[in-house]
Amino acid sequence: MQDETLQAEFTHQAETFNRSAVAHAADTLEALVELAAPGPSERWLDVACGPGIISRALAAGAGAVHGVDLTEAMVDVARREASAAGLANTTFACGDATALELADASFDGAVARFTIHHLPAPARLLEELARVVRPGGRIVIADHIADDDAADAAWALELERLRDPSHWAALRPERLRALGVDAGLELASEAIAAISLDFDDWLARGSGGARNAALIERVLSERTGGSERFRVSREGGSRVLQLQLWLALWRR
């Protein structure tokens, strides 16, 4: 059921996510590529690649990049954009990030951005990345994180699911660390960065944004501003959603 929900949601979002400011934010995109540090002889994997934004960024330094996404519409956009950019070292395919049809130790590195919060069993993602990346390889994980306070985290989760039914749950950093350790990975570095989104644009991109607009406004009114890791504020005449992004480099 979750796979079907994901495919429906990201068929809906394929073009709008490709154009979204948060997906292209230079500071976080550059930080991710810098952590990955792909080399010209290396083969990299971008799982849940969406429209291939990370794949295209990695392709500038890597020998080859392969993107995998569950949603055919996203793969179509990724192929189109890579072709338009003249990137001959990228390939894309439909596939499940938690059950990859790829050989063991067949990549030098892998990246998963904005993926974990969609997965009911996120351990499967880390286990698969550990399997397909060679010993000594690198794995970069980036995702927004849940608040430590249970009530604040639950409030944010309500809003996330009303806006996007494919959202499962953001995790706290300690849980993310445990997933990597359990998969046999070694944490090399981690950082938390603030990210800001235009709230109304974020809302409009999700398939539930318009349908659940009244209920979303009601939930918003229950908490002034929000939590440390999910805050809605006003800047001038616009509403801004502030999140915290956990960015980690793991060694295989």
Side-chain angles (χ1 to χ4, degrees):
M1 289 293 292
Q2 179 65 356
D3 283 358
E4 293 171 4
T5 302
L6 279 165
Q7 288 169 323
E9 182 63 30
F10 286 102
T11 297
H12 172 81
Q13 287 198 43
E15 296 290 351
T16 57
F17 185 79
N18 186 47
R19 297 191 300 267
S20 67
V22 68
H24 291 275
D27 51 353
T28 55
L29 190 57
E30 289 168 5
L32 188 152
V33 174
E34 184 177 337
L35 265 188
S41 64
E42 292 183 335
R43 187 178 186 223
W44 276 75
L45 174 66
D46 180 15
V47 295
C49 67
I53 295 164
I54 299 298
S55 298
R56 298 197 297 276
L58 292 172
V65 180
H66 182 60
V68 174
D69 198 275
L70 191 64
T71 305
E72 185 175 355
M74 282 292 194
V75 172
D76 289 343
V77 174
R79 287 173 175 154
R80 182 193 74 204
E81 295 295 321
S83 177
L87 297 173
N89 62 338
T90 59
T91 56
F92 299 93
C94 286
D96 182 349
T98 66
L100 295 164
E101 295 182 0
L102 299 167
D104 295 358
S106 54
F107 291 87
D108 296 288
V111 173
R113 182 179 75 154
F114 299 148
T115 304
I116 287 178
H117 67 269
H118 291 290
L119 303 178
R124 295 169 58 204
L125 172 69
L126 275 296
E127 290 164 359
E128 277 295 85
L129 297 185
R131 180 183 67 80
V132 301
V133 170
R134 64 169 175 80
R138 306 178 299 285
I139 294 171
V140 178
I141 302 292
D143 212 331
H144 57 87
I145 49 178
D147 203 281
D148 290 329
D149 179 83
D152 284 339
W155 177 82
L157 182 58
E158 289 177 9
L159 286 169
E160 291 273 20
R161 288 186 175 176
L162 284 168
R163 176 256 177 187
D164 173 0
S166 75
H167 182 100
W168 192 269
L171 303 179
R172 294 190 297 273
E174 56 266 32
R175 175 61 178 147
L176 292 164
R177 293 187 204 105
L179 289 172
V181 170
D182 290 347
L185 303 174
E186 178 183 353
L187 185 60
S189 68
E190 64 177 319
I192 294 177
I195 55 175
S196 297
L197 300 77
D198 181 287
F199 178 80
D200 293 319
D201 173 71
W202 172 81
L203 204 60
R205 279 190 282 112
S207 64
R211 182 173 64 249
N212 297 320
L215 187 51
I216 287 169
E217 293 302 326
R218 176 180 171 180
V219 174
L220 274 173
S221 71
E222 293 172 356
R223 264 178 162 73
T224 303
S227 68
E228 178 186 2
R229 292 173 177 167
F230 189 101
R231 181 178 300 278
V232 181
S233 60
R234 284 202 172 272
E235 294 183 7
S238 301
R239 292 190 291 186
V240 176
L241 172 60
Q242 296 167 314
L243 304 173
Q244 289 187 343
L245 182 75
W246 186 77
L247 188 61
L249 172 66
W250 297 87
R251 297 283 182 183
R252 169 70 172 87

